[in-house]
Amino acid sequence: MNEIIDALKKFRDERDWQQFHNPKDLSLALSIEASELLEAFLWKLPEDADPEKIKEELADVFSFAFLLADACDLDVKDIVLAKIKRNEEKYPVSKAKGSARKYNEL
């Protein structure tokens, strides 16, 4: 992950874009890119979506998410593993396996 974040920051810094990469604007960009990812599936069966469009938009989503984590001084590995741990407590296998219900509906 550090290799990816370093490459993103190098790309950003070479263009003097850090001035635009505050947490608010990175959050907005992340949301916009996530919407563009959804657009790849709009009015299509999942198997009919363009894999190249999905890769392109998903890369943008990851890029802005990593830059946002960096801007907020968050360690991606730590926050994702902590979230998995919390979800394991909210969704124990014995109750959640095979179910799409939310934790408060189990």
Side-chain angles (χ1 to χ4, degrees):
M1 296 228 207
N2 289 336
E3 180 182 352
I4 294 169
I5 293 169
D6 289 344
L8 288 166
K9 289 167 58 175
K10 180 179 184 292
F11 178 88
R12 175 201 67 197
D13 293 347
E14 289 174 344
R15 288 153 183 82
D16 192 26
W17 287 351
Q18 185 173 6
Q19 60 186 317
F20 309 116
H21 285 194
N22 60 72
K24 177 200 64 98
D25 288 322
L26 289 168
S27 295
L28 291 168
L30 177 58
S31 178
I32 291 164
E33 295 301 339
S35 294
E36 290 180 11
L37 176 59
L38 289 174
E39 188 178 34
F41 293 96
L42 184 63
W43 314 124
K44 299 175 180 88
L45 296 172
E47 60 271 14
D48 293 335
D50 179 1
E52 290 305 312
K53 174 77 170 164
I54 294 167
K55 284 195 277 189
E56 184 85 14
E57 299 307 336
L58 190 55
D60 288 340
V61 168
F62 286 140
S63 296
F64 284 118
F66 288 143
L67 286 168
L68 177 59
D70 184 72
C72 295
D73 199 29
L74 301 171
D75 183 285
V76 174
K77 179 181 173 184
D78 289 346
I79 64 174
V80 171
L81 291 176
K83 181 64 175 180
I84 291 170
K85 184 170 178 57
R86 284 193 306 275
N87 283 343
E88 286 175 340
E89 294 166 4
K90 287 169 42 175
Y91 297 96
V93 174
S94 62
K95 292 183 178 179
K97 189 170 185 171
S99 173
R101 290 182 291 165
K102 193 168 175 163
Y103 67 93
N104 60 355
E105 299 172 347
L106 293 174

